[in-house]
Amino acid sequence: MTDTSQNIWLAKLAAWTHDPAEKALVLLRDPAGHEGGTVRALQRALFPNGLPKPLAAHVKRADHWASAADRPQFPRSDKDGRYAAWTQVRFDQQPVLIHPLSGTRFDLKTLDIGAAQIRSLSTDHFQQLIERNADGRPDARRTALAFWRFGPELGADALRALWQLLPADTRIPDHTIWTHLDLSAAFASSFAADADPNPALLSIAFGPVQDFIAQARTTSDLWAGSHLLSRIAWEGLKVLCARLGPDAVIFPQLRGVPLVDLWLRDEMGVNAKRFLDCEWTGQRTDANPLFAAALPNKLVAIVPAGQAQELAEAVTRAVRDFVRGTAQGMLADLLEAAGIANHPELPCHAQLAAQLDGFPEVHWAAVPFAPLVKEGDGAPDTTELAKAGAPFFGEGGFLAGPAWQRLQKPLELEGTRFYRPNAGVLYPALYALLDRVAASAKSVRTAPQRPNGGEQGYRCDLTGEAEWLTHDRAHLAIPKGERKNVDTLWNRAINQRPSLSRKDEHLSALAMLKRMWPRRFVEHELGKCDIDVRRFVVSTHTLAVSTSLERWLEQGAPMGRIGEQLLAKAKAEAIDAAALPRRLMKRLFAGPYSDKQRELARLLPALMEAGSSLKDDPEAENRHERDVRALLDDKPEAYYALILLDGDRMGAWISGGSEAHQLPTRDTFHPQIRERMKAHFTGPEHVAYLDAARAVSPSRHMAISSALNSFALTLAQDIVENRCKGKLIYAGGDDVMALVAVDDLLACLTLLRAAYGGLPIPDALGRTLGLDPEVELRSLRLGGGHALLDGKLLRLMGEHATASAGAVIAHHSAPLGAVLRTLREAEKRAKGKGGRDAFAITLLKRGGGATELTLPWRLDNPEPAARTGQPAPEDKSSGPDLNHSPMGVLAGLTTLFAGDDTSRKAAYVTQGWMPHLPAQMDKTALHELLARNLAHRFKRQGASDAQGNEQGDKLATLALHPRLTDTDPAEVITDVLAVAEFLARESRAFKNRPTLQER
């Protein structure tokens, strides 16, 4: 390790020990002062000869910059002195936390925690995290990494949740001590890394994304495309983390990401015992978090300005070398399986090099953080920054806004002064410029030049864009229909090793990367780390049949003579067991079933596929269908659902680009401080400053990234695979794609939407969806922008963040490519026609035709109103929820039609008179007409008076709601009834959906 590298890690340790993690709990209480307890003990252990003066100077500067970047400047009177009594908050007596994105206040009442007790716990916690060399001295790099990764994880049960959310400043409790320590360490290491200590913000983006993922024929392809892109992103991030530490990366947040943990353990040498409680070390199936596509394709980091270009180039080399090396390894496996000697002159090597040239695309931009400093007053000189921003912002932007106008120099207003500004205050301006410059860089693309005039042969069967790889170029002239019996590279390899790819397929380099990545990841990536994981692919057919299998299990899994015969047939035909959804597997092996029942449940989907000619003739009869139908006492379910959920206006949340996604500065202060400000500061300048929007900050970006990690890495999989019969394909930040059994569709959609923002699901809506409030809605508690799952508190995007979802219900034999296109159209429809914060369901019936239903999640305004100048929400653990949700109307009608007393004919008859509604009619009268006629029809088909009246009124109210003014009421009613009727059919109705306890 070089001296510069050593200084970087020492600077991080010094930054991590400049403030104690428990600062909020000991401030104004501990006689030793907040710097006299844990701080002193740790610095003695880490720096026995004292903290070197250059490091101390770096940390002091880093602390000031981090504070300026993350906190509103704090006004005081000249007479107040350094520690004005009115500016002090005793957190143990008035513990208040503020959600950084929604502004919701959480009053924890009082905290009965002694200062000495928490100091002792903290000191012991961090001393145990010190990593030592063989000679017993602290290892700076490994210790800094251990502090970063495990510092926020305190073992004491009573304090675990609070410890993760302790504020950095009790007066402004909207950001945690951990974000402050992270940011301080990032600045300090950047100062220590270069002779010219001038940090910069660096942005790097990788691509292409959507096209690469969308080119898929199987669910495995979908997962592989997203997971490989996430893995490529980590290869680039790893360059920055190895040189500057993971805390240097502002977005995405990396703490707790499984791939990062694996790197810490196996490459950086952090004590392996520290990771034993992590799920990725013990999970032996592809439910292992290492299989989650957790990292986005864009990063933002704090780096030394003088090294920004070299770092960006190093990242580019790293990701492209990784892709090239991975592809070469796959090609070697292919050639070995085909029995072809791996000679460099084979055409496939030249093809691979040409097709991967410039992949992935890498776009980067950097903006220096600290301009020159003016003489005399110490204020940052923004001249160069303003010039650089002029082409994008003109005379506007942050530098022309009210916050900077008041903060660009020390202020003396009405006897009040603000702290002197430093370059940290400029973070919003730098980030806005970085975002524009990065977008400009991304718009400039250079197409790689293909040798010999480009490719001439037949194209890849998956992408259709490049030649398929071959060992003999003469084979490229053979049409697809004539290749079957030709001795091509792919035919030879797959005949010997069928697991490499699909039969008769011939793939290009990029398609090979995607198709062979699952096997490569398990055998090479995880195998070399001694992680033994088995991957299971749940087919669309199996997922559809799982609805019928679960119902069969609910009935006790009766075997009888037919069951025995089917089991014997499966064994005679050497059928391999199918991979069932995880929730169904758990129920199967936890329930009171015999070995034969369990075996048949796992063999049945594969037996049905083996007995069918569906691949060649969708209308062909399954030769086992009659027996299977007799066993299940119904026709096996043939439909499944595909979900795509995406956060709304994520760019605006990150940039704070509109008032709807900002908070007033005053709302970030502790209520006590906010109240006292009214008496101390009444001048128009101060009022204008406090009413101005809270500037974008690193802690805001960290909070967004951490919230998306919590949603994607923890909640999405729990909802899709534990609470529903589904398979998570990918969950990267605000994007989720999942397969789900059709009877769980509405519950899965609702749970995902609620979990994204941390919205509570009302008990009544939960029951309508088949979710038991006492079981499923208590084991996962949502509310106030947070989630509590298995004792772990997760901060989410908050009640004002919205998400839109598309869903497609399709027959399992429908081409996946066509279903995916329809899915993306549905998601766009939710954001467009639905006005965001909406869901769109497309029902693709096998007989032809499609039903397109688009509804909002809530009937209030989906976008938060501009909140500047308005009071923050009061202390709540619930807050806005999904009450009065159109989803409740849809689910209620599904339950009604699925009941024993009500015929689904009500839907057909009602749809018949919808086209005859009066064209012009008073809205009140039309509501009365619709409600009465709908209720009458429901009651005619068996509904009780109460049920008919309730559902009729709800459906009429929904059809005429102002959020649906652009949609014909008849269309709303017709589409809602069509989807509800389809979901209510006996094979898929969720009225008897088992609870978690029953599973």
Side-chain angles (χ1 to χ4, degrees), residues 537-607:
V537 178
V538 180
S539 70
T540 55
H541 177 247
T542 300
L543 199 66
V545 176
S546 68
T547 297
S548 300
L549 284 177
E550 186 171 58
R551 190 175 299 279
W552 179 63
L553 294 178
E554 289 172 22
Q555 297 167 351
M559 290 280 289
R561 177 180 56 81
I562 293 176
E564 297 286 353
Q565 289 176 348
L566 285 170
L567 187 58
K569 288 179 181 179
K571 292 181 177 180
E573 296 182 22
I575 300 296
D576 292 328
L580 300 178
R582 194 197 323 180
R583 192 188 90 185
L584 199 58
M585 285 291 287
K586 286 184 176 180
R587 173 167 189 166
L588 189 62
F589 284 92
Y593 306 111
S594 68
D595 290 343
K596 283 188 175 181
Q597 289 170 315
R598 292 176 179 137
E599 189 176 13
L600 180 58
R602 299 179 65 199
L603 288 171
L604 207 58
L607 180 67

Side-chain angles (χ1 to χ4, degrees), residues 224-564:
S226 58
H227 190 268
L228 179 56
L229 286 175
S230 179
R231 177 63 181 84
I232 290 170
W234 168 236
E235 199 66 25
L237 282 161
K238 192 159 58 171
V239 173
L240 300 178
C241 293
R243 295 197 193 183
L244 299 170
D247 48 58
V249 181
I250 301 297
F251 192 95
Q253 281 290 280
L254 299 176
R255 185 181 286 113
V257 174
L259 277 175
V260 183
D261 279 356
L262 193 61
W263 169 76
L264 290 171
R265 188 192 73 173
D266 291 358
E267 296 185 42
M268 303 307 287
V270 175
N271 191 336
K273 292 181 180 179
R274 304 193 190 284
F275 300 92
L276 292 179
D277 291 335
C278 297
E279 187 180 358
W280 62 267
T281 64
Q283 178 58 258
R284 298 305 178 192
T285 72
D286 57 359
N288 190 308
L290 286 166
F291 282 83
L295 296 172
N297 69 315
K298 179 182 177 181
L299 66 91
V300 176
I302 294 175
V303 304
Q307 300 179 25
Q309 179 174 346
E310 190 273 326
L311 285 167
E313 291 171 349
V315 168
T316 302
R317 287 194 303 273
V319 295
R320 290 179 177 169
D321 288 349
F322 169 76
V323 169
R324 180 72 65 87
T326 300
Q328 288 172 341
M330 292 175 176
L331 182 56
D333 290 346
L334 199 67
L335 290 167
E336 180 185 8
I340 300 171
N342 191 356
H343 294 304
E345 63 272 14
L346 288 174
C348 50
H349 290 293
Q351 288 177 301
L352 185 143
Q355 292 175 13
L356 296 181
D357 185 26
F359 182 85
E361 297 173 3
V362 181
H363 306 280
W364 69 274
V367 178
F369 211 103
L372 297 175
V373 177
K374 293 180 181 178
E375 294 293 332
D377 64 5
D381 184 351
T382 59
T383 304
E384 294 301 319
L385 183 59
K387 286 181 180 179
F392 302 102
F393 310 111
E395 297 181 357
F398 177 79
L399 296 179
W404 177 245
Q405 295 304 311
R406 289 169 174 79
L407 298 178
Q408 62 182 315
K409 58 185 179 180
L411 298 181
E412 299 282 347
L413 298 173
E414 302 173 1
T416 302
R417 61 185 171 84
F418 290 87
Y419 291 134
R420 291 179 180 272
N422 59 53
V425 178
L426 292 171
Y427 182 89
L430 268 70
Y431 182 80
L433 178 57
L434 179 74
D435 195 43
R436 299 297 179 88
V437 174
S440 298
K442 196 171 182 180
S443 67
V444 179
R445 299 185 179 184
T446 55
Q449 298 298 311
R450 299 299 185 196
N452 303 322
E455 299 176 326
Q456 304 298 321
Y458 277 101
R459 297 302 193 258
C460 167
D461 291 338
L462 181 62
T463 68
E465 295 175 354
E467 292 175 343
W468 48 272
L469 300 176
T470 182
H471 70 297
D472 183 346
R473 288 200 63 86
H475 289 166
L476 294 174
I478 304 173
K480 181 176 175 62
E482 300 175 14
R483 268 185 233 143
K484 188 171 184 180
N485 298 316
V486 178
D487 213 19
T488 66
L489 167 62
W490 290 93
N491 284 342
R492 290 173 63 170
I494 295 168
N495 286 337
Q496 293 299 315
R497 201 179 299 171
S499 62
L500 287 175
S501 187
R502 301 180 78 187
K503 191 174 182 180
D504 298 332
E505 267 191 338
H506 291 66
L507 306 177
S508 63
L510 280 174
M512 178 187 68
L513 272 169
K514 182 184 295 187
R515 183 56 55 78
M516 296 176 66
W517 174 248
R519 181 173 176 270
R520 182 86 181 177
F521 179 66
V522 171
E523 295 183 2
H524 292 263
E525 297 268 322
L526 300 184
K528 68 182 181 183
C529 302
D530 294 326
I531 297 178
D532 181 20
V533 175
R534 294 187 62 192
R535 181 170 175 268
F536 301 95
V537 178
V538 180
S539 70
T540 55
H541 177 247
T542 300
L543 199 66
V545 176
S546 68
T547 297
S548 300
L549 284 177
E550 186 171 58
R551 190 175 299 279
W552 179 63
L553 294 178
E554 289 172 22
Q555 297 167 351
M559 290 280 289
R561 177 180 56 81
I562 293 176
E564 297 286 353

